[in-house]
């Protein structure tokens, strides 16, 4: 009989076990009605514009979080390559911000004053700030980072499927996060997170699981906000 670790999750990885355990919430985050409306071509463009402006605000808050994660990796990681993987994502964020500006101009979305974060966005950004603190260790933070990226990858990949009816003008948006290349990047992050979780203490595992669930809850609320426009 193959020996398992104390978590009983070594064979498949901690993350997959958690995703099975919290399947309904994960499906709610990755197959949200907002995403399904893009995939089936019924999306209200005003909802897309709301998402575009609010996600620009979120990405600006996401940059310092990723920067803090690089510092945590430098200090706490047992594998030097972690920092290089995260740094690759960090480098892509500059291009991402420029893409938001280009798309906002195309759609007539104002990204400067008076654009303000809606409440779900404010709460999500505050969660990111909490992960930047010294109290949040690397294992917890990298798990949350994977979850944030993975939700977008799986969501927008859905809009690129053979049976999707995604409007042509939104294909570029879906390709940005739903591409195979971004999927491979998310797989690299998942590998790092699973490696760290395999070595984690019971307390770290509990905190990382809570962080994962918190990300999924915030993602659902972010989609809800985009769909309702408020």
């Amino acid at each position: 009989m193959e020996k398992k670790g104390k978590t009983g999750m070594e064979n498949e990885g901690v993350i997959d076990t958690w995703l099975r355990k919290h399947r309904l919430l994960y499906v709610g985050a990755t197959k949200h009605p907002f995403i399904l409306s893009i995939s089936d071509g019924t999306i209200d463009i005003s909802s897309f514009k709301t998402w575009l402006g609010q996600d620009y605000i979120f990405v600006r808050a996401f940059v310092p979080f990723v920067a803090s994660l690089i510092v945590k990796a430098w200090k706490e990681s047992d594998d030097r390559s972690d920092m290089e993987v995260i740094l690759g994502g960090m480098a892509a964020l500059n291009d991402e911000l420029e893409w938001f500006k280009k798309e906002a101009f195309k759609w007539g979305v104002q990204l400067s004053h008076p654009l303000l974060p809606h409440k779900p966005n404010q709460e999500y950004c505050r969660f990111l700030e909490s992960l930047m603190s010294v109290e949040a260790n690397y294992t917890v933070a990298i798990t949350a980072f994977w979850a944030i990226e993975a939700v977008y990858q799986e969501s927008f990949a859905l809009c690129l499927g053979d049976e999707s009816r995604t409007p042509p003008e939104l294909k570029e948006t879906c390709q940005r996060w739903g591409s195979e290349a971004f999927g491979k990047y998310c797989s690299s992050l998942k590998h790092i997170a699973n490696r760290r979780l395999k070595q984690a203490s019971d307390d770290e595992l509990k905190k990382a699981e809570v962080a994962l669930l918190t990300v999924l809850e915030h993602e659902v609320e972010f989609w809800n906000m985009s769909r309702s426009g408020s």
Side-chain angles (χ1 to χ4, degrees):
M1 181 180 292
E2 188 170 359
K3 184 179 179 182
K4 288 194 175 186
K6 62 182 177 181
T7 64
M9 298 180 277
E10 287 189 7
N11 289 343
E12 61 177 341
V14 178
I15 286 176
D16 285 336
T17 299
W18 286 345
L19 292 186
R20 257 206 334 277
K21 179 181 176 183
H22 306 292
R23 187 65 189 168
L24 285 179
L25 183 55
Y26 187 68
V27 170
T30 55
K31 293 180 174 62
H32 188 275
F34 176 81
I35 288 297
L36 296 179
S37 72
I38 296 177
S39 180
D40 65 20
T42 63
I43 186 168
D44 184 334
I45 290 301
S46 65
S47 296
F48 176 77
K49 290 180 179 181
T50 297
W51 168 82
L52 188 69
Q54 291 298 308
D55 208 45
Y56 172 74
I57 293 173
F58 179 80
V59 171
R60 288 180 63 85
F62 193 56
V63 171
F65 162 64
V66 180
S68 74
L69 190 59
I70 292 174
V71 175
K72 290 181 191 296
W74 172 59
K75 289 183 176 181
E76 301 178 42
S77 178
D78 54 326
D79 189 327
R80 292 180 182 178
S81 65
D82 287 11
M83 197 163 69
E84 295 168 9
V85 172
I86 300 166
L87 188 60
M90 182 74 174
L93 287 174
N94 181 60
D95 176 64
E96 194 165 300
L97 286 170
E98 290 304 311
W99 177 85
F100 272 106
K101 293 175 184 177
K102 182 191 73 172
E103 286 294 299
F105 179 78
K106 181 174 80 176
W107 291 101
V109 175
Q110 178 62 256
L111 294 182
S112 57
H113 186 76
L115 181 67
L116 297 172
H118 294 169
K119 186 178 178 182
N121 201 359
Q122 290 176 332
E123 293 173 349
Y124 204 171
C125 290
R126 278 197 290 269
F127 173 65
L128 289 183
E129 286 185 38
S130 73
L131 293 173
M132 293 166 60
S133 69
V134 293
E135 287 78 19
N137 70 17
Y138 177 53
T139 300
V140 174
I142 192 68
T143 300
F145 183 44
W146 166 80
I148 292 168
E149 299 286 48
V151 166
Y152 262 41
Q153 197 282 321
E154 186 162 334
S155 295
F156 284 107
L158 186 68
C159 303
L160 298 173
D162 293 338
E163 297 181 2
S164 67
R165 297 189 293 275
T166 299
E169 61 271 24
L170 299 186
K171 281 286 181 69
E172 183 181 342
T173 298
C174 300
Q175 187 64 30
R176 172 163 286 277
W177 289 282
S179 67
E180 183 179 345
F182 191 68
K184 288 180 179 178
Y185 170 66
C186 290
S187 293
S188 297
L189 294 178
K190 185 179 181 182
H191 176 76
I192 294 172
N194 268 327
R195 190 191 77 243
R196 295 291 303 186
L197 290 166
K198 185 178 178 181
Q199 304 165 3
S201 67
D202 289 341
D203 183 60
E204 288 172 332
L205 283 170
K206 289 176 184 176
K207 289 178 179 177
E209 185 174 9
V210 168
L212 169 63
L213 292 176
T214 303
V215 167
L216 297 180
E217 289 165 354
H218 279 306
E219 290 290 347
V220 170
E221 289 304 313
F222 203 98
W223 296 132
N224 287 343
M225 168 195 68
S226 301
R227 198 168 183 230
S228 67
S230 61

